Amino acid sequence: MCHGGRALYSMSSTRGSLIRHIRFICLLLILSLFQSWFQLLLLLCLVLFVLCYSLSSSYVSRLKGFALHEQNKRFLNQIHQVHLTTQPSTVPSTVPSTVPSTGIQYHQAHPHNYHFIMDNTEVCKTKNPFLVLMVPVAPNDVAARDAIRQTWANNSLVQGKVVLTLFMLGLSNRDNAEQLQEKLKQENLQHSDLIQSDFMDSYLNLTIKTMVIMDWLATHCTTAAYAMKVDSDMFLNIDNLVTLLQKPDIPKQNYLTGMLMWNRPVIRSKNSKWYVPEEMYPDPIYPTYTLGMGYVFSNDLPAEFVAISKLIKPFNIEDAYIGICMKKLGLAPTSPPDPSQFRAYNTGYNRCEYSKTITYILGSAQQLVQYWTDLKKPGPPC
Ligand SMILES: *[C@@H]1O[C@H](CO)[C@@H](O)[C@H](O)[C@H]1NC(C)=O
Ligand SMILES: *[C@@H]1O[C@H](CO)[C@@H](O)[C@H](O)[C@H]1NC(C)=O
């Protein structure tokens, strides 16, 4: 066909009408054999007319086909917005996916770009922890750190296992940054539990923060068996976590667990806190990942994450980013033995419930101290 048909049905309908036109022309040709020159001229005119007609009709159907095509696209988009569980494979992605085949190196979020200001170099060698809890926290949020120091970080020995809690911070971007930095140094002299790197500490830089945590674990704490990234506004039942990690069927390698997120759509609404532009992550659905409030992993993984992150374009959703690292490594998160132990929403304090879970999201540092004190008072919780 002279026009590369855009839609299949417009091509077939044009072909049908052309066949009919050709039949008509043949009939006229046979007739014309017996007619005069004048009639042949008339016939030529007719042929021209027929050709013009077929051209214009196929153009119209082509237009119709294109409009339908656009409609289909819009319809597909609507399905994706409504149906959160659509498989990514059904959606043609126009941009190459996150993992470039050419081995493009994404250095922006790569932790080797940043340098430790405080790294507590010796802390893992001297304490030799079984489990390291890494808590990303805003530099000025000393209240959150103090609440954690009084509660789940207070006991360094849990069921005979050494547990170490460290706080991860970037640089403050506030006016009083210099003063704050001096305070942080004093705080670290007192507690030896701050890890600070020289990236700008901000919400959009959370993936950098997570990757710097992974870098620190991979370079300063290789002997620990497990680590956890846990947010500073969490209730953490550390006893239950250590119990979980000592179960015989918990893998010692390639293990990542927490609250699993399946088939989560990428948020494309610009007003959302979780907005991710298509240039940063083109696929509409994230691979399975563990919710960022608290995920636990075998300590062989941090070095793998750091290495693979060079090939994965960074974006601001740190937990989904770790999910993408896992997928690229050929791994997947594992459901915890009891998934109800990882809870994202706090429905109010209940001593019995808090004695059974591992994580809860809390409202404030005071809540953490209050609930913890109540949970630890003598007497059976249930
Ligand atoms: C921290 O733990 C010790 C025992 O290891 C206990 O004596 C102390 O009261 C605890 N501190 C707080 C603030 O709970
Ligand atoms: C993230 O950190 C980098 C390095 O410090 C900084 O240049 C950039 O402005 C930060 N981005 C945001 C959004 O804060």
Side-chain angles (χ1 to χ4, degrees), residues 212-225:
V212 171
I213 285 177
M214 298 304 170
D215 188 34
W216 189 87
L217 288 169
T219 53
H220 291 71
C221 206
T222 49
T223 52

Side-chain angles (χ1 to χ4, degrees), residues 97-131:
S97 117
T98 26
V99 180
S101 53
T102 47
I104 294 167
Q105 307 274 294
Y106 291 109
H107 285 291
Q108 186 214 321
H110 199 257
H112 293 171
N113 281 342
Y114 307 104
H115 306 95
F116 291 110
I117 298 165
M118 293 188 249
D119 68 355
N120 280 296
T121 312
E122 298 296 320
V123 73
C124 267
K125 285 191 194 100
T126 52
K127 297 199 169 165
N128 198 21
F130 165 75
L131 168 66

Side-chain angles (χ1 to χ4, degrees), residues 6-7 9-10 59-70:
R6 202 181 281 258
Y9 38 87
S10 83
Y59 178 64
V60 166
S61 69
R62 212 173 73 143
L63 265 185
K64 274 191 201 147
F66 182 66
L68 250 159
H69 181 70
E70 284 296 296

Side-chain angles (χ1 to χ4, degrees), residues 54-113:
S54 87
L55 274 175
S56 72
S57 74
S58 93
Y59 178 64
V60 166
S61 69
R62 212 173 73 143
L63 265 185
K64 274 191 201 147
F66 182 66
L68 250 159
H69 181 70
E70 284 296 296
Q71 227 173 25
N72 277 343
K73 260 180 24 188
R74 261 203 306 272
F75 178 63
L76 273 175
N77 281 340
Q78 274 164 12
I79 287 183
H80 294 148
Q81 276 159 17
V82 176
H83 253 279
L84 306 182
T85 50
T86 313
Q87 291 302 307
S89 57
T90 61
V91 182
S93 107
T94 45
V95 194
S97 117
T98 26
V99 180
S101 53
T102 47
I104 294 167
Q105 307 274 294
Y106 291 109
H107 285 291
Q108 186 214 321
H110 199 257
H112 293 171
N113 281 342

